[in-house]
Amino acid sequence: MTLEQLRIFVAVAEREHITRAARAIHLTPSATSAAIAALEARHATRLFDRVGRGIVLTEAGRLFLPEARAVLARASAAEKVLADLAGLVHGTLALAGSQTVANYWLPPLIEAYRSRYPGVAVSLTIGNTDFVAARVQEGAADLGFIEGGIEAPVLAATPVADDEMVLVAPVTHPWHWRAPASPAELSEGPWVLREPGSGTRAIFESYLEQAGIAPAGLRVVLEYPSNEAVRAAVEAGSGATVISRRVVEGAIRAGTMALIDYPLPSRPFLSLRHRERYATRAAQAFLDMAGAGAGAERQRL
């Protein structure tokens, strides 16, 4: 079994499609199929079932996938240790970010980093908070950046910025004329919220619980897996939401949604790194820049 076979297997398993996987790893579909066939033949184990024109993981394939990912992560870590010997002239930096951080805070930081260290190839994957934590735990990402907290003792979490949370609603909502006077009035809704597992949803539900309100009692009419979908639904009149001001600042200025005068706690943006994995120079340099940026942001505030 070779690392290249493992890389091909993981690519196919994640997409469950030979052609899309081949395109992602810059191989031909025939070479990709041959590598999978060789891996299955060598170990006399079927990893995929062919269903019509598609493929799906077998039970053996599902069990093998996390092991293959772990081996690739360890190989990548070994490469990074060697790359560190050349300083920051060459190398890679894999980042994972939850949506608000990745879409509104990380891009200028990544661009500044690339300008300072052009020899380091930077990649970024985006998901919710749980996804980011999992990427860092698996070793698929050197650093993660999330909103709010995470319960994972193996991950070191460090504040790198502050984020203002705001209550916004359609311009036709009654709260536009009279803001809620107490947390109890928040139960009225209707609400458009991010999906469970997102930092934005978690911080709002934590606030409600501290105010003595059961989140399950909210009248949630829509749940979306992206900030942009939530913002569009609020603008369309579907309901109110609690979200980062960074996401809705433009819509507030344009008058397409109402900013409700209701006090909410701010939340930190956190960096995540694995406590037991080797911290590369590339990752440390990025954290140093993030920390410097956080200090400048707090001075502005």
Side-chain angles (χ1 to χ4, degrees), residues 28-271:
T28 64
S30 60
T32 302
S33 295
I36 295 297
L39 189 60
E40 290 179 324
R42 173 68 178 80
H43 299 279
T45 302
R46 182 178 289 278
L47 300 172
F48 296 95
D49 283 327
R50 281 66 179 175
V51 180
R53 294 187 176 183
I55 58 172
V56 295
L57 280 167
T58 63
E59 180 62 22
R62 284 191 290 272
L63 292 172
F64 182 54
L65 181 57
E67 300 299 328
R69 284 174 170 156
V71 171
L72 291 175
R74 290 301 302 157
S76 176
E79 288 180 341
K80 288 170 182 175
V81 171
L82 290 177
D84 260 11
L85 297 176
L88 292 173
V89 177
H90 302 289
T92 62
L93 178 62
L95 306 176
S98 53
Q99 288 194 29
T100 305
V101 181
N103 289 316
Y104 297 92
W105 185 77
L106 273 176
L109 185 60
I110 291 174
E111 186 55 33
Y113 182 86
R114 289 179 63 251
S115 296
R116 185 175 299 181
Y117 307 111
V120 179
V122 182
S123 63
L124 172 65
T125 55
I126 301 174
N128 64 24
T129 293
D130 290 346
F131 168 85
V132 172
R135 295 282 292 181
V136 178
Q137 284 184 282
E138 294 167 1
D142 300 304
L143 299 172
F145 293 89
I146 62 171
E147 312 111 25
I150 190 75
E151 293 184 9
V154 75
L155 300 181
T158 304
V160 291
D162 296 313
D163 189 37
E164 181 184 358
M165 303 298 292
V166 293
L167 172 61
V168 292
V171 293
T172 56
H173 198 289
W175 289 344
H176 190 182
W177 294 279
R178 191 188 71 81
S182 68
E185 292 187 36
L186 297 178
S187 299
E188 297 172 7
W191 289 96
V192 180
L193 298 179
R194 283 288 306 279
E195 82 288 3
S198 75
T200 299
R201 177 75 170 260
I203 195 73
F204 181 40
E205 291 186 344
S206 175
Y207 168 77
L208 292 173
E209 289 168 350
Q210 291 175 15
I213 299 171
L218 291 185
R219 186 158 64 95
V220 180
V221 295
L222 290 170
E223 291 181 346
Y224 284 117
S226 78
N227 290 326
E228 288 67 30
V230 170
R231 182 181 62 203
V234 173
E235 289 179 296
S238 298
T241 197
V242 167
I243 201 165
S244 168
R245 184 164 192 145
R246 300 171 194 257
V247 177
V248 295
E249 188 69 56
I252 293 170
R253 286 199 305 266
T256 57
M257 68 171 58
L259 174 64
I260 310 304
D261 183 17
Y262 185 86
L264 288 167
S266 63
R267 63 178 175 182
F269 287 166
L270 303 175
S271 67

Side-chain angles (χ1 to χ4, degrees), residues 7 11-12 15 17-30 32:
R7 185 173 74 95
V12 175
R15 295 162 181 82
H17 197 282
I18 291 289
T19 301
R20 285 198 290 267
R23 188 180 303 119
I25 56 180
H26 308 294
L27 291 176
T28 64
S30 60
T32 302

